[in-house]
Amino acid sequence: MDQAVKPGETGAHKFSIDLDAVRANAREHLDDGAVTEDYGADRKAVLDMLNEALATELTCVLRYKRHYFMARGIHADPVAAEFAEHATQEQEHADQLAQRIVQLGGEPDFSPQGMIAHSHSQYVEADTLENMIKENLVAERIAIESYRAMVRYLGDKDPTTRRLLESILAVEEEHADDMSDLLARG
């Protein structure tokens, strides 16, 4: 049981857990996998949100891959290399999201219809190197806002998913900075 801090003491409450109850609950709910009784978020809402993020990442992979292969012009090689690197990182994000969806007892939606219906960003082919960079910057800015909203929604209800989304957000911010730098070099 928790012990209260006595007047004049600066220590915190003593950590306490009912291990018998935790052990019994763990045995009783084996089918729930990693999701325990104290999971604080609406699991269905989180799974829907993660599938939207997955669709967004897959859209970004495809857009970056197209831009990598279609980059032309005197400055195309370093820009195409940046597109290829970003495509790889976006695929890693998609894999991480799919893994978390499965951990939460859901099914990752890799269907083309799901991607089209749920992606926050758009698949824009673009016709010039500059327009490709701009479209990727737009998509990164959309991803940044989306991930920030997801992080705020989760708060402390699902810290594992929140940390995953925060790590992806940090990379998306780097991607936006990279695209902005490429535009500035114009």
Side-chain angles (χ1 to χ4, degrees), residues 1 3 5 8 46 55 73 90 102 137 157 164:
M1 196 50 93
Q3 292 180 343
V5 177
V46 172
E90 303 291 7
V102 171
L137 179 54
K157 295 177 281 191
L164 169 63

PDB file of all heavy atoms in Angstrom, residues 1 3 5 8 46 55 73 90 102 137 157 164:
ATOM      1  N   MET A   1       0.841  -1.181   0.000  1.00  0.00           N
ATOM      2  CA  MET A   1       0.000   0.000   0.000  1.00  0.00           C
ATOM      3  C   MET A   1       0.887   1.246   0.000  1.00  0.00           C
ATOM      4  O   MET A   1       1.969   1.241   0.554  1.00  0.00           O
ATOM      5  CB  MET A   1      -0.905  -0.042   1.230  1.00  0.00           C
ATOM      6  CG  MET A   1      -2.099   0.898   1.184  1.00  0.00           C
ATOM      7  SD  MET A   1      -3.079   0.817  -0.319  1.00  0.00           S
ATOM      8  CE  MET A   1      -4.334  -0.334   0.090  1.00  0.00           C
ATOM      9  N   GLN A   3       2.484   4.683   0.996  1.00  0.00           N
ATOM     10  CA  GLN A   3       2.723   5.365   2.255  1.00  0.00           C
ATOM     11  C   GLN A   3       2.727   6.845   1.986  1.00  0.00           C
ATOM     12  O   GLN A   3       3.403   7.313   1.073  1.00  0.00           O
ATOM     13  CB  GLN A   3       4.061   4.953   2.858  1.00  0.00           C
ATOM     14  CG  GLN A   3       4.091   3.521   3.329  1.00  0.00           C
ATOM     15  CD  GLN A   3       5.453   3.179   3.916  1.00  0.00           C
ATOM     16  OE1 GLN A   3       6.424   3.866   3.697  1.00  0.00           O
ATOM     17  NE2 GLN A   3       5.487   2.088   4.676  1.00  0.00           N
ATOM     18  N   VAL A   5       3.623  10.729   2.487  1.00  0.00           N
ATOM     19  CA  VAL A   5       4.797  11.469   2.924  1.00  0.00           C
ATOM     20  C   VAL A   5       4.396  12.265   4.159  1.00  0.00           C
ATOM     21  O   VAL A   5       3.383  12.961   4.164  1.00  0.00           O
ATOM     22  CB  VAL A   5       5.307  12.402   1.790  1.00  0.00           C
ATOM     23  CG1 VAL A   5       6.478  13.234   2.271  1.00  0.00           C
ATOM     24  CG2 VAL A   5       5.682  11.579   0.578  1.00  0.00           C
ATOM     25  N   GLY A   8       7.146  17.581   6.459  1.00  0.00           N
ATOM     26  CA  GLY A   8       8.571  17.830   6.592  1.00  0.00           C
ATOM     27  C   GLY A   8       9.430  16.894   5.754  1.00  0.00           C
ATOM     28  O   GLY A   8      10.614  17.131   5.573  1.00  0.00           O
ATOM     29  N   VAL A  46      -7.461   4.122 -31.731  1.00  0.00           N
ATOM     30  CA  VAL A  46      -6.007   4.115 -31.949  1.00  0.00           C
ATOM     31  C   VAL A  46      -5.664   3.279 -33.176  1.00  0.00           C
ATOM     32  O   VAL A  46      -4.846   3.689 -34.007  1.00  0.00           O
ATOM     33  CB  VAL A  46      -5.255   3.620 -30.694  1.00  0.00           C
ATOM     34  CG1 VAL A  46      -3.774   3.428 -30.981  1.00  0.00           C
ATOM     35  CG2 VAL A  46      -5.449   4.601 -29.538  1.00  0.00           C
ATOM     36  N   ALA A  55      -1.385   4.346 -44.026  1.00  0.00           N
ATOM     37  CA  ALA A  55      -1.765   4.727 -45.397  1.00  0.00           C
ATOM     38  C   ALA A  55      -0.976   5.955 -45.851  1.00  0.00           C
ATOM     39  O   ALA A  55      -0.531   6.024 -47.007  1.00  0.00           O
ATOM     40  CB  ALA A  55      -3.267   5.001 -45.465  1.00  0.00           C
ATOM     41  N   GLY A  73      17.436  16.525 -64.833  1.00  0.00           N
ATOM     42  CA  GLY A  73      18.039  17.847 -64.875  1.00  0.00           C
ATOM     43  C   GLY A  73      19.430  17.861 -64.263  1.00  0.00           C
ATOM     44  O   GLY A  73      19.902  16.881 -63.691  1.00  0.00           O
ATOM     45  N   GLU A  90      10.456   6.322 -44.947  1.00  0.00           N
ATOM     46  CA  GLU A  90       8.993   6.237 -44.879  1.00  0.00           C
ATOM     47  C   GLU A  90       8.543   4.778 -44.829  1.00  0.00           C
ATOM     48  O   GLU A  90       7.588   4.436 -44.125  1.00  0.00           O
ATOM     49  CB  GLU A  90       8.340   6.953 -46.065  1.00  0.00           C
ATOM     50  CG  GLU A  90       8.710   8.418 -46.238  1.00  0.00           C
ATOM     51  CD  GLU A  90       8.183   9.363 -45.171  1.00  0.00           C
ATOM     52  OE1 GLU A  90       7.603   8.915 -44.161  1.00  0.00           O
ATOM     53  OE2 GLU A  90       8.363  10.575 -45.349  1.00  0.00           O
ATOM     54  N   VAL A 102      -0.446  -4.562 -35.047  1.00  0.00           N
ATOM     55  CA  VAL A 102      -0.555  -5.978 -34.685  1.00  0.00           C
ATOM     56  C   VAL A 102      -0.412  -6.149 -33.170  1.00  0.00           C
ATOM     57  O   VAL A 102      -1.155  -6.914 -32.556  1.00  0.00           O
ATOM     58  CB  VAL A 102       0.484  -6.822 -35.456  1.00  0.00           C
ATOM     59  CG1 VAL A 102       0.537  -8.252 -34.946  1.00  0.00           C
ATOM     60  CG2 VAL A 102       0.172  -6.801 -36.953  1.00  0.00           C
ATOM     61  N   LEU A 137       7.460  18.504 -49.807  1.00  0.00           N
ATOM     62  CA  LEU A 137       7.425  19.408 -48.656  1.00  0.00           C
ATOM     63  C   LEU A 137       5.989  19.560 -48.143  1.00  0.00           C
ATOM     64  O   LEU A 137       5.742  19.520 -46.939  1.00  0.00           O
ATOM     65  CB  LEU A 137       8.038  20.769 -49.008  1.00  0.00           C
ATOM     66  CG  LEU A 137       8.032  21.820 -47.894  1.00  0.00           C
ATOM     67  CD1 LEU A 137       8.687  21.299 -46.615  1.00  0.00           C
ATOM     68  CD2 LEU A 137       8.715  23.095 -48.384  1.00  0.00           C
ATOM     69  N   LYS A 157      -2.385   8.170 -22.435  1.00  0.00           N
ATOM     70  CA  LYS A 157      -3.256   6.993 -22.493  1.00  0.00           C
ATOM     71  C   LYS A 157      -2.576   5.785 -23.136  1.00  0.00           C
ATOM     72  O   LYS A 157      -2.949   4.649 -22.869  1.00  0.00           O
ATOM     73  CB  LYS A 157      -4.554   7.319 -23.235  1.00  0.00           C
ATOM     74  CG  LYS A 157      -5.422   8.355 -22.525  1.00  0.00           C
ATOM     75  CD  LYS A 157      -6.645   8.695 -23.320  1.00  0.00           C
ATOM     76  CE  LYS A 157      -6.242   9.649 -24.407  1.00  0.00           C
ATOM     77  NZ  LYS A 157      -7.336  10.282 -25.114  1.00  0.00           N
ATOM     78  N   LEU A 164       6.322   6.101 -30.289  1.00  0.00           N
ATOM     79  CA  LEU A 164       6.536   5.710 -31.684  1.00  0.00           C
ATOM     80  C   LEU A 164       6.199   6.875 -32.609  1.00  0.00           C
ATOM     81  O   LEU A 164       6.980   7.230 -33.497  1.00  0.00           O
ATOM     82  CB  LEU A 164       5.688   4.485 -32.041  1.00  0.00           C
ATOM     83  CG  LEU A 164       5.621   4.130 -33.531  1.00  0.00           C
ATOM     84  CD1 LEU A 164       6.994   3.771 -34.072  1.00  0.00           C
ATOM     85  CD2 LEU A 164       4.613   3.018 -33.766  1.00  0.00           C
TER      86      LEU A 164
END
